[in-house]
Amino acid sequence: HRRKPARAVNGAGVGGRRALTSGMEGGEKKLSGEQRTGRCFCGKVGITLTGPPAAVSICHCVNCRKLSGAPFTAQAVAKMTQVNVTRADGVGELVGFSSSPAVERFRCPQCLSPVYASLAKGKMAAVPLSILSGGDVVIGVKAGQAGAGGEERVDISETPSTSEEGRPSSGCAPLLRATHHMYYGDRIIDVPDDLPKYVKSSARQAQLWTLDLTDPPRAGGADVRV
């Protein structure tokens, strides 16, 4: 499929979906519960995830790898109503584009940092963990290699969690725990943890990757352990 060209989102996004912007704040229902916040690279776009996500996926698909410059990406998947995006004064609408028929991605119009992706016809959102401020994320535990707390934690930021005004939060939300790998059949790096690994999507009837599946030779391939 040919990807649609990137363009600024103004009100309704590509495919009729609406970008989350500060213009929607007045009509949004205020949610209660744990909050995780973050900002893009230039700091002009902020995002808040309220409540626990439905899942935290690690994606190895070609699109995520090429668009992030990383061997895989990690994102919190939540209902769109749990996500709120704000923009500093003078900052234009988020730039949105469709990377596949089912995924529309939105980026800061100034620094082009990934902010979130729209899934399930706008009902769900995928928030990259890379944009969240501070805290740890539990990636996975290799059998027999768990630490004293039974978990292996990987820092995702050097800065503490902050409030909308930039002040340290009074309390930190619980650590996010990765739930599964997606598109593990397309990986370019092995991750031998104990999380469920799906050959492609993690949707219903998805095929789990197992050691007995035949993989192509990986001459000189990398192996990362977490």
mmCIF file of all heavy atoms in Angstrom, residues 162-206:
data_model
loop_
_atom_site.group_PDB
_atom_site.id
_atom_site.type_symbol
_atom_site.label_atom_id
_atom_site.label_comp_id
_atom_site.label_asym_id
_atom_site.label_seq_id
_atom_site.Cartn_x
_atom_site.Cartn_y
_atom_site.Cartn_z
ATOM 1 N N THR A 162 7.086 15.106 35.733
ATOM 2 C CA THR A 162 6.781 16.509 35.984
ATOM 3 C C THR A 162 5.316 16.782 35.764
ATOM 4 O O THR A 162 4.623 16.076 35.040
ATOM 5 C CB THR A 162 7.594 17.425 35.050
ATOM 6 O OG1 THR A 162 7.320 17.056 33.697
ATOM 7 C CG2 THR A 162 9.076 17.286 35.314
ATOM 8 N N SER A 163 4.833 17.837 36.380
ATOM 9 C CA SER A 163 3.460 18.266 36.186
ATOM 10 C C SER A 163 3.386 19.099 34.921
ATOM 11 O O SER A 163 4.379 19.342 34.252
ATOM 12 C CB SER A 163 3.004 19.104 37.392
ATOM 13 O OG SER A 163 3.759 20.300 37.452
ATOM 14 N N GLU A 164 2.183 19.543 34.582
ATOM 15 C CA GLU A 164 2.006 20.355 33.369
ATOM 16 C C GLU A 164 2.839 21.622 33.437
ATOM 17 O O GLU A 164 3.296 22.135 32.426
ATOM 18 C CB GLU A 164 0.520 20.696 33.197
ATOM 19 C CG GLU A 164 0.178 21.390 31.901
ATOM 20 C CD GLU A 164 0.458 20.525 30.683
ATOM 21 O OE1 GLU A 164 0.468 19.289 30.816
ATOM 22 O OE2 GLU A 164 0.683 21.102 29.611
ATOM 23 N N GLU A 165 3.054 22.134 34.670
ATOM 24 C CA GLU A 165 3.855 23.365 34.822
ATOM 25 C C GLU A 165 5.342 23.083 34.886
ATOM 26 O O GLU A 165 6.141 24.010 35.023
ATOM 27 C CB GLU A 165 3.426 24.096 36.097
ATOM 28 C CG GLU A 165 1.983 24.631 36.066
ATOM 29 C CD GLU A 165 0.965 23.526 36.284
ATOM 30 O OE1 GLU A 165 1.327 22.508 36.878
ATOM 31 O OE2 GLU A 165 -0.184 23.695 35.831
ATOM 32 N N GLY A 166 5.732 21.812 34.779
ATOM 33 C CA GLY A 166 7.144 21.483 34.791
ATOM 34 C C GLY A 166 7.703 21.163 36.162
ATOM 35 O O GLY A 166 8.885 20.908 36.307
ATOM 36 N N ARG A 167 6.837 21.190 37.202
ATOM 37 C CA ARG A 167 7.301 20.887 38.549
ATOM 38 C C ARG A 167 7.282 19.385 38.775
ATOM 39 O O ARG A 167 6.447 18.681 38.200
ATOM 40 C CB ARG A 167 6.415 21.583 39.588
ATOM 41 C CG ARG A 167 6.439 23.089 39.522
ATOM 42 C CD ARG A 167 5.740 23.671 40.735
ATOM 43 N NE ARG A 167 4.359 23.233 40.818
ATOM 44 C CZ ARG A 167 3.348 23.872 40.250
ATOM 45 N NH1 ARG A 167 3.570 24.969 39.551
ATOM 46 N NH2 ARG A 167 2.112 23.418 40.364
ATOM 47 N N PRO A 168 8.180 18.846 39.626
ATOM 48 C CA PRO A 168 8.148 17.412 39.918
ATOM 49 C C PRO A 168 6.795 17.003 40.478
ATOM 50 O O PRO A 168 6.193 17.706 41.274
ATOM 51 C CB PRO A 168 9.256 17.240 40.963
ATOM 52 C CG PRO A 168 10.178 18.394 40.719
ATOM 53 C CD PRO A 168 9.293 19.537 40.292
ATOM 54 N N SER A 169 6.278 15.882 40.034
ATOM 55 C CA SER A 169 4.998 15.390 40.513
ATOM 56 C C SER A 169 5.121 14.961 41.970
ATOM 57 O O SER A 169 6.165 14.506 42.417
ATOM 58 C CB SER A 169 4.536 14.211 39.665
ATOM 59 O OG SER A 169 4.393 14.604 38.315
ATOM 60 N N SER A 170 4.024 15.101 42.711
ATOM 61 C CA SER A 170 4.046 14.719 44.116
ATOM 62 C C SER A 170 4.152 13.209 44.278
ATOM 63 O O SER A 170 4.644 12.715 45.280
ATOM 64 C CB SER A 170 2.763 15.221 44.806
ATOM 65 O OG SER A 170 1.617 14.722 44.150
ATOM 66 N N GLY A 171 3.662 12.447 43.299
ATOM 67 C CA GLY A 171 3.749 10.994 43.364
ATOM 68 C C GLY A 171 3.921 10.422 41.977
ATOM 69 O O GLY A 171 3.481 11.011 41.005
ATOM 70 N N CYS A 172 4.567 9.271 41.875
ATOM 71 C CA CYS A 172 4.796 8.658 40.585
ATOM 72 C C CYS A 172 3.752 7.579 40.342
ATOM 73 O O CYS A 172 3.346 6.871 41.262
ATOM 74 C CB CYS A 172 6.193 8.041 40.522
ATOM 75 S SG CYS A 172 7.514 9.265 40.606
ATOM 76 N N ALA A 173 3.324 7.469 39.093
ATOM 77 C CA ALA A 173 2.392 6.404 38.731
ATOM 78 C C ALA A 173 3.120 5.067 38.796
ATOM 79 O O ALA A 173 4.344 5.013 38.703
ATOM 80 C CB ALA A 173 1.858 6.660 37.328
ATOM 81 N N PRO A 174 2.382 3.983 38.963
ATOM 82 C CA PRO A 174 3.025 2.667 38.992
ATOM 83 C C PRO A 174 3.831 2.416 37.723
ATOM 84 O O PRO A 174 3.523 2.950 36.662
ATOM 85 C CB PRO A 174 1.836 1.708 39.098
ATOM 86 C CG PRO A 174 0.733 2.522 39.692
ATOM 87 C CD PRO A 174 0.937 3.917 39.176
ATOM 88 N N LEU A 175 4.864 1.601 37.848
ATOM 89 C CA LEU A 175 5.699 1.291 36.701
ATOM 90 C C LEU A 175 4.890 0.612 35.610
ATOM 91 O O LEU A 175 4.021 -0.206 35.886
ATOM 92 C CB LEU A 175 6.851 0.370 37.117
ATOM 93 C CG LEU A 175 7.812 0.893 38.177
ATOM 94 C CD1 LEU A 175 8.887 -0.138 38.456
ATOM 95 C CD2 LEU A 175 8.450 2.188 37.710
ATOM 96 N N LEU A 176 5.191 0.961 34.385
ATOM 97 C CA LEU A 176 4.567 0.282 33.256
ATOM 98 C C LEU A 176 5.285 -1.039 33.011
ATOM 99 O O LEU A 176 6.514 -1.105 33.061
ATOM 100 C CB LEU A 176 4.645 1.158 31.998
ATOM 101 C CG LEU A 176 3.756 2.393 31.984
ATOM 102 C CD1 LEU A 176 4.028 3.214 30.733
ATOM 103 C CD2 LEU A 176 2.288 2.010 32.052
ATOM 104 N N ARG A 177 4.529 -2.060 32.748
ATOM 105 C CA ARG A 177 5.089 -3.386 32.475
ATOM 106 C C ARG A 177 4.736 -3.779 31.041
ATOM 107 O O ARG A 177 3.553 -3.805 30.671
ATOM 108 C CB ARG A 177 4.534 -4.412 33.448
ATOM 109 C CG ARG A 177 5.043 -5.824 33.202
ATOM 110 C CD ARG A 177 4.330 -6.824 34.103
ATOM 111 N NE ARG A 177 4.623 -6.588 35.498
ATOM 112 C CZ ARG A 177 5.686 -7.105 36.129
ATOM 113 N NH1 ARG A 177 6.536 -7.854 35.466
ATOM 114 N NH2 ARG A 177 5.888 -6.844 37.394
ATOM 115 N N ALA A 178 5.740 -4.061 30.246
ATOM 116 C CA ALA A 178 5.487 -4.521 28.888
ATOM 117 C C ALA A 178 4.705 -5.825 28.934
ATOM 118 O O ALA A 178 4.948 -6.691 29.772
ATOM 119 C CB ALA A 178 6.811 -4.722 28.149
ATOM 120 N N THR A 179 3.727 -5.957 28.040
ATOM 121 C CA THR A 179 2.845 -7.124 28.060
ATOM 122 C C THR A 179 3.170 -8.142 26.972
ATOM 123 O O THR A 179 2.899 -9.337 27.146
ATOM 124 C CB THR A 179 1.378 -6.687 27.916
ATOM 125 O OG1 THR A 179 1.245 -5.855 26.741
ATOM 126 C CG2 THR A 179 0.933 -5.893 29.132
ATOM 127 N N HIS A 180 3.732 -7.715 25.837
ATOM 128 C CA HIS A 180 3.976 -8.648 24.745
ATOM 129 C C HIS A 180 4.840 -8.007 23.664
ATOM 130 O O HIS A 180 5.033 -6.791 23.643
ATOM 131 C CB HIS A 180 2.654 -9.110 24.124
ATOM 132 C CG HIS A 180 1.856 -7.987 23.538
ATOM 133 N ND1 HIS A 180 0.962 -7.238 24.274
ATOM 134 C CD2 HIS A 180 1.835 -7.456 22.281
ATOM 135 C CE1 HIS A 180 0.417 -6.320 23.512
ATOM 136 N NE2 HIS A 180 0.936 -6.427 22.292
ATOM 137 N N HIS A 181 5.349 -8.836 22.782
ATOM 138 C CA HIS A 181 6.032 -8.397 21.566
ATOM 139 C C HIS A 181 5.096 -8.597 20.382
ATOM 140 O O HIS A 181 4.369 -9.596 20.316
ATOM 141 C CB HIS A 181 7.303 -9.219 21.321
ATOM 142 C CG HIS A 181 8.389 -8.992 22.319
ATOM 143 N ND1 HIS A 181 9.427 -8.110 22.117
ATOM 144 C CD2 HIS A 181 8.603 -9.536 23.545
ATOM 145 C CE1 HIS A 181 10.241 -8.131 23.156
ATOM 146 N NE2 HIS A 181 9.758 -8.984 24.049
ATOM 147 N N MET A 182 5.125 -7.657 19.431
ATOM 148 C CA MET A 182 4.359 -7.773 18.193
ATOM 149 C C MET A 182 5.309 -7.851 17.000
ATOM 150 O O MET A 182 6.404 -7.317 17.044
ATOM 151 C CB MET A 182 3.438 -6.556 18.007
ATOM 152 C CG MET A 182 2.369 -6.378 19.053
ATOM 153 S SD MET A 182 1.516 -4.798 18.852
ATOM 154 C CE MET A 182 0.977 -4.887 17.144
ATOM 155 N N TYR A 183 4.859 -8.505 15.946
ATOM 156 C CA TYR A 183 5.636 -8.629 14.706
ATOM 157 C C TYR A 183 7.045 -9.154 14.996
ATOM 158 O O TYR A 183 8.013 -8.724 14.377
ATOM 159 C CB TYR A 183 5.679 -7.291 13.957
ATOM 160 C CG TYR A 183 4.338 -6.917 13.377
ATOM 161 C CD1 TYR A 183 3.422 -6.170 14.109
ATOM 162 C CD2 TYR A 183 3.972 -7.350 12.107
ATOM 163 C CE1 TYR A 183 2.164 -5.862 13.593
ATOM 164 C CE2 TYR A 183 2.731 -7.034 11.579
ATOM 165 C CZ TYR A 183 1.828 -6.293 12.329
ATOM 166 O OH TYR A 183 0.608 -5.998 11.807
ATOM 167 N N TYR A 184 7.108 -10.104 15.925
ATOM 168 C CA TYR A 184 8.417 -10.660 16.283
ATOM 169 C C TYR A 184 9.022 -11.429 15.115
ATOM 170 O O TYR A 184 10.243 -11.582 15.036
ATOM 171 C CB TYR A 184 8.279 -11.562 17.513
ATOM 172 C CG TYR A 184 9.592 -11.836 18.203
ATOM 173 C CD1 TYR A 184 10.252 -10.831 18.909
ATOM 174 C CD2 TYR A 184 10.174 -13.098 18.146
ATOM 175 C CE1 TYR A 184 11.455 -11.071 19.540
ATOM 176 C CE2 TYR A 184 11.378 -13.357 18.786
ATOM 177 C CZ TYR A 184 12.016 -12.341 19.478
ATOM 178 O OH TYR A 184 13.218 -12.595 20.107
ATOM 179 N N GLY A 185 8.197 -11.887 14.206
ATOM 180 C CA GLY A 185 8.715 -12.541 13.016
ATOM 181 C C GLY A 185 9.467 -11.608 12.094
ATOM 182 O O GLY A 185 10.221 -12.052 11.229
ATOM 183 N N ASP A 186 9.285 -10.288 12.263
ATOM 184 C CA ASP A 186 9.974 -9.290 11.439
ATOM 185 C C ASP A 186 11.166 -8.675 12.162
ATOM 186 O O ASP A 186 11.766 -7.725 11.661
ATOM 187 C CB ASP A 186 9.006 -8.163 11.055
ATOM 188 C CG ASP A 186 7.858 -8.644 10.191
ATOM 189 O OD1 ASP A 186 7.999 -9.731 9.589
ATOM 190 O OD2 ASP A 186 6.832 -7.942 10.118
ATOM 191 N N ARG A 187 11.512 -9.207 13.317
ATOM 192 C CA ARG A 187 12.555 -8.581 14.141
ATOM 193 C C ARG A 187 13.913 -8.609 13.440
ATOM 194 O O ARG A 187 14.181 -9.448 12.585
ATOM 195 C CB ARG A 187 12.663 -9.301 15.482
ATOM 196 C CG ARG A 187 13.284 -10.699 15.383
ATOM 197 C CD ARG A 187 13.059 -11.468 16.659
ATOM 198 N NE ARG A 187 13.706 -12.773 16.628
ATOM 199 C CZ ARG A 187 13.252 -13.821 15.952
ATOM 200 N NH1 ARG A 187 12.161 -13.705 15.211
ATOM 201 N NH2 ARG A 187 13.900 -14.970 16.002
ATOM 202 N N ILE A 188 14.769 -7.665 13.862
ATOM 203 C CA ILE A 188 16.159 -7.667 13.416
ATOM 204 C C ILE A 188 17.101 -7.899 14.589
ATOM 205 O O ILE A 188 18.323 -7.914 14.423
ATOM 206 C CB ILE A 188 16.529 -6.341 12.707
ATOM 207 C CG1 ILE A 188 16.324 -5.162 13.641
ATOM 208 C CG2 ILE A 188 15.725 -6.168 11.427
ATOM 209 C CD1 ILE A 188 16.887 -3.864 13.103
ATOM 210 N N ILE A 189 16.526 -8.074 15.772
ATOM 211 C CA ILE A 189 17.323 -8.328 16.963
ATOM 212 C C ILE A 189 16.527 -9.269 17.869
ATOM 213 O O ILE A 189 15.313 -9.132 18.002
ATOM 214 C CB ILE A 189 17.666 -7.004 17.691
ATOM 215 C CG1 ILE A 189 18.698 -7.237 18.788
ATOM 216 C CG2 ILE A 189 16.433 -6.329 18.241
ATOM 217 C CD1 ILE A 189 19.268 -5.929 19.336
ATOM 218 N N ASP A 190 17.185 -10.277 18.417
ATOM 219 C CA ASP A 190 16.518 -11.222 19.299
ATOM 220 C C ASP A 190 16.393 -10.637 20.701
ATOM 221 O O ASP A 190 17.319 -10.004 21.209
ATOM 222 C CB ASP A 190 17.299 -12.536 19.380
ATOM 223 C CG ASP A 190 17.222 -13.332 18.091
ATOM 224 O OD1 ASP A 190 16.161 -13.331 17.453
ATOM 225 O OD2 ASP A 190 18.240 -13.950 17.723
ATOM 226 N N VAL A 191 15.259 -10.844 21.327
ATOM 227 C CA VAL A 191 15.024 -10.397 22.700
ATOM 228 C C VAL A 191 14.546 -11.609 23.497
ATOM 229 O O VAL A 191 13.349 -11.899 23.557
ATOM 230 C CB VAL A 191 13.986 -9.261 22.765
ATOM 231 C CG1 VAL A 191 13.870 -8.738 24.194
ATOM 232 C CG2 VAL A 191 14.349 -8.135 21.810
ATOM 233 N N PRO A 192 15.459 -12.355 24.124
ATOM 234 C CA PRO A 192 15.093 -13.600 24.808
ATOM 235 C C PRO A 192 14.521 -13.386 26.207
ATOM 236 O O PRO A 192 15.098 -13.819 27.199
ATOM 237 C CB PRO A 192 16.412 -14.366 24.837
ATOM 238 C CG PRO A 192 17.450 -13.294 24.905
ATOM 239 C CD PRO A 192 16.916 -12.148 24.085
ATOM 240 N N ASP A 193 13.390 -12.704 26.296
ATOM 241 C CA ASP A 193 12.708 -12.562 27.580
ATOM 242 C C ASP A 193 11.549 -13.553 27.635
ATOM 243 O O ASP A 193 11.387 -14.380 26.742
ATOM 244 C CB ASP A 193 12.237 -11.119 27.802
ATOM 245 C CG ASP A 193 11.283 -10.639 26.715
ATOM 246 O OD1 ASP A 193 10.684 -11.495 26.032
ATOM 247 O OD2 ASP A 193 11.133 -9.421 26.550
ATOM 248 N N ASP A 194 10.738 -13.479 28.677
ATOM 249 C CA ASP A 194 9.639 -14.423 28.849
ATOM 250 C C ASP A 194 8.278 -13.838 28.473
ATOM 251 O O ASP A 194 7.244 -14.414 28.796
ATOM 252 C CB ASP A 194 9.593 -14.919 30.299
ATOM 253 C CG ASP A 194 10.742 -15.862 30.615
ATOM 254 O OD1 ASP A 194 11.349 -16.376 29.659
ATOM 255 O OD2 ASP A 194 11.034 -16.070 31.802
ATOM 256 N N LEU A 195 8.261 -12.695 27.787
ATOM 257 C CA LEU A 195 6.995 -12.119 27.360
ATOM 258 C C LEU A 195 6.424 -12.903 26.178
ATOM 259 O O LEU A 195 7.171 -13.468 25.381
ATOM 260 C CB LEU A 195 7.199 -10.658 26.934
ATOM 261 C CG LEU A 195 7.592 -9.658 28.014
ATOM 262 C CD1 LEU A 195 7.872 -8.299 27.392
ATOM 263 C CD2 LEU A 195 6.500 -9.548 29.066
ATOM 264 N N PRO A 196 5.093 -12.912 26.030
ATOM 265 C CA PRO A 196 4.505 -13.521 24.834
ATOM 266 C C PRO A 196 5.001 -12.804 23.579
ATOM 267 O O PRO A 196 5.104 -11.581 23.559
ATOM 268 C CB PRO A 196 3.001 -13.324 25.034
ATOM 269 C CG PRO A 196 2.824 -13.100 26.498
ATOM 270 C CD PRO A 196 4.066 -12.406 26.963
ATOM 271 N N LYS A 197 5.305 -13.562 22.550
ATOM 272 C CA LYS A 197 5.797 -13.001 21.291
ATOM 273 C C LYS A 197 4.872 -13.452 20.163
ATOM 274 O O LYS A 197 4.659 -14.650 19.968
ATOM 275 C CB LYS A 197 7.234 -13.458 21.027
ATOM 276 C CG LYS A 197 8.236 -12.972 22.074
ATOM 277 C CD LYS A 197 9.620 -13.546 21.805
ATOM 278 C CE LYS A 197 10.654 -12.929 22.740
ATOM 279 N NZ LYS A 197 10.426 -13.320 24.155
ATOM 280 N N TYR A 198 4.333 -12.484 19.440
ATOM 281 C CA TYR A 198 3.426 -12.785 18.340
ATOM 282 C C TYR A 198 4.153 -12.608 17.015
ATOM 283 O O TYR A 198 4.906 -11.656 16.826
ATOM 284 C CB TYR A 198 2.190 -11.890 18.397
ATOM 285 C CG TYR A 198 1.349 -12.133 19.634
ATOM 286 C CD1 TYR A 198 1.489 -11.316 20.761
ATOM 287 C CD2 TYR A 198 0.442 -13.181 19.690
ATOM 288 C CE1 TYR A 198 0.733 -11.542 21.901
ATOM 289 C CE2 TYR A 198 -0.321 -13.419 20.835
ATOM 290 C CZ TYR A 198 -0.167 -12.596 21.928
ATOM 291 O OH TYR A 198 -0.903 -12.819 23.063
ATOM 292 N N VAL A 199 3.904 -13.532 16.097
ATOM 293 C CA VAL A 199 4.565 -13.480 14.796
ATOM 294 C C VAL A 199 4.223 -12.180 14.083
ATOM 295 O O VAL A 199 5.086 -11.516 13.511
ATOM 296 C CB VAL A 199 4.155 -14.693 13.935
ATOM 297 C CG1 VAL A 199 4.777 -14.592 12.538
ATOM 298 C CG2 VAL A 199 4.585 -15.985 14.608
ATOM 299 N N LYS A 200 2.952 -11.797 14.117
ATOM 300 C CA LYS A 200 2.499 -10.535 13.511
ATOM 301 C C LYS A 200 1.761 -9.729 14.571
ATOM 302 O O LYS A 200 2.317 -9.417 15.609
ATOM 303 C CB LYS A 200 1.612 -10.822 12.298
ATOM 304 C CG LYS A 200 2.343 -11.492 11.145
ATOM 305 C CD LYS A 200 3.422 -10.577 10.547
ATOM 306 C CE LYS A 200 4.104 -11.228 9.355
ATOM 307 N NZ LYS A 200 5.161 -10.365 8.786
ATOM 308 N N SER A 201 0.507 -9.395 14.307
ATOM 309 C CA SER A 201 -0.277 -8.608 15.241
ATOM 310 C C SER A 201 -0.643 -9.432 16.472
ATOM 311 O O SER A 201 -0.617 -10.663 16.454
ATOM 312 C CB SER A 201 -1.548 -8.104 14.547
ATOM 313 O OG SER A 201 -2.447 -7.538 15.474
ATOM 314 N N SER A 202 -1.013 -8.725 17.543
ATOM 315 C CA SER A 202 -1.436 -9.387 18.775
ATOM 316 C C SER A 202 -2.950 -9.466 18.869
ATOM 317 O O SER A 202 -3.497 -9.691 19.941
ATOM 318 C CB SER A 202 -0.887 -8.635 19.991
ATOM 319 O OG SER A 202 -1.356 -7.292 20.000
ATOM 320 N N ALA A 203 -3.643 -9.258 17.744
ATOM 321 C CA ALA A 203 -5.100 -9.306 17.743
ATOM 322 C C ALA A 203 -5.585 -10.727 18.017
ATOM 323 O O ALA A 203 -4.803 -11.664 18.150
ATOM 324 C CB ALA A 203 -5.638 -8.811 16.396
ATOM 325 N N ARG A 204 -6.893 -10.875 18.096
ATOM 326 C CA ARG A 204 -7.470 -12.193 18.340
ATOM 327 C C ARG A 204 -7.040 -13.154 17.242
ATOM 328 O O ARG A 204 -6.883 -12.775 16.085
ATOM 329 C CB ARG A 204 -8.998 -12.107 18.386
ATOM 330 C CG ARG A 204 -9.522 -11.313 19.588
ATOM 331 C CD ARG A 204 -11.040 -11.262 19.568
ATOM 332 N NE ARG A 204 -11.547 -10.488 20.708
ATOM 333 C CZ ARG A 204 -12.833 -10.253 20.922
ATOM 334 N NH1 ARG A 204 -13.746 -10.750 20.092
ATOM 335 N NH2 ARG A 204 -13.220 -9.538 21.968
ATOM 336 N N GLN A 205 -6.874 -14.407 17.602
ATOM 337 C CA GLN A 205 -6.421 -15.456 16.690
ATOM 338 C C GLN A 205 -4.987 -15.234 16.216
ATOM 339 O O GLN A 205 -4.564 -15.817 15.215
ATOM 340 C CB GLN A 205 -7.357 -15.564 15.465
ATOM 341 C CG GLN A 205 -8.838 -15.685 15.800
ATOM 342 C CD GLN A 205 -9.145 -16.902 16.657
ATOM 343 O OE1 GLN A 205 -8.569 -17.968 16.469
ATOM 344 N NE2 GLN A 205 -10.046 -16.733 17.617
ATOM 345 N N ALA A 206 -4.238 -14.408 16.923
ATOM 346 C CA ALA A 206 -2.849 -14.139 16.526
ATOM 347 C C ALA A 206 -1.985 -15.375 16.782
ATOM 348 O O ALA A 206 -2.223 -16.137 17.727
ATOM 349 C CB ALA A 206 -2.299 -12.944 17.299
#
